[in-house]
């Protein structure tokens, strides 16, 4: 790959606009929900799934439920999507506000990550 093409690809990556928001894994059988903020919902979904499949997820309760009910026992949803302009800007505070709104709507929900 030539240097010009490589620079173009790097610039595209820096300026991509992944979907940001609040993600939820909900166990169908128990109704337990696990919420997290995400700067890239698709990547975080895949990351959580991988950790759950390999038995290495840091949320022990979520891991237990996954082992008991399997992937088909869960529903993955993006609860809230953050609208933003600058992909380089840190949107953590805005995402945390959205997550708190989701917690207010579901008092039984827990955080995916501690």
């Amino acid at each position: 790959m030539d240097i010009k093409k490589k620079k173009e690809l790097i610039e595209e990556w820096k300026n991509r606009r992944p979907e940001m928001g609040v993600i939820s894994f909900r166990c169908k059988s128990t109704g337990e929900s696990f919420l997290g903020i995400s700067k890239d919902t698709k990547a975080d979904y895949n990351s959580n799934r991988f950790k759950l499949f390999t038995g290495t997820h840091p949320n022990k309760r979520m891991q237990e439920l996954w082992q008991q009910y399997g992937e088909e026992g869960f529903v993955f949803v993006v609860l809230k999507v953050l609208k933003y302009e600058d992909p380089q800007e840190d949107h953590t505070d805005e995402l945390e506000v959205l997550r708190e709104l989701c917690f207010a709507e579901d008092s039984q929900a827990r955080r995916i990550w501690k």
Side-chain angles (χ1 to χ4, degrees):
M1 179 181 316
D2 68 2
I3 294 174
K4 183 179 177 184
K5 181 66 174 170
K6 186 174 181 179
K7 285 183 180 183
E8 287 174 10
L9 291 173
I10 290 171
E11 196 60 31
E12 281 179 32
W13 174 257
K14 286 181 182 177
N15 292 317
R16 70 188 180 89
R17 295 179 47 90
E19 181 181 69
M20 293 187 197
V22 178
I23 61 173
S24 168
F25 281 81
R26 185 179 58 78
C27 179
K28 295 177 190 176
S29 296
T30 66
E32 292 174 73
S33 294
F34 301 89
L35 309 181
I37 62 172
S38 175
K39 294 181 181 178
D40 185 336
T41 59
K42 289 182 177 96
D44 284 334
Y45 168 69
N46 287 332
S47 174
N48 277 284
R49 266 184 79 237
F50 177 78
K51 289 173 186 169
L52 290 163
F53 271 118
T54 59
T56 60
H57 201 281
N59 187 312
K60 300 302 178 203
R61 177 62 181 156
M62 192 169 153
Q63 184 69 60
E64 288 171 7
L65 293 170
W66 187 273
Q67 287 175 258
Q68 184 173 357
Y69 299 108
E71 182 175 19
E72 61 281 347
F74 279 79
V75 176
F76 170 77
V77 178
V78 178
L79 294 176
K80 302 239 185 244
V81 175
L82 177 69
K83 293 179 178 21
Y84 65 97
E85 293 299 319
D86 184 1
Q88 301 296 327
E89 189 177 320
D90 183 11
H91 298 284
T92 304
D93 291 341
E94 297 160 89
L95 290 166
E96 287 177 351
V97 168
L98 285 179
R99 182 178 56 196
E100 290 308 314
L101 292 172
C102 293
F103 279 133
E105 294 170 6
D106 182 356
S107 61
Q108 300 300 313
R110 303 180 202 175
R111 292 175 183 245
I112 291 176
W113 309 283
K114 302 294 180 204

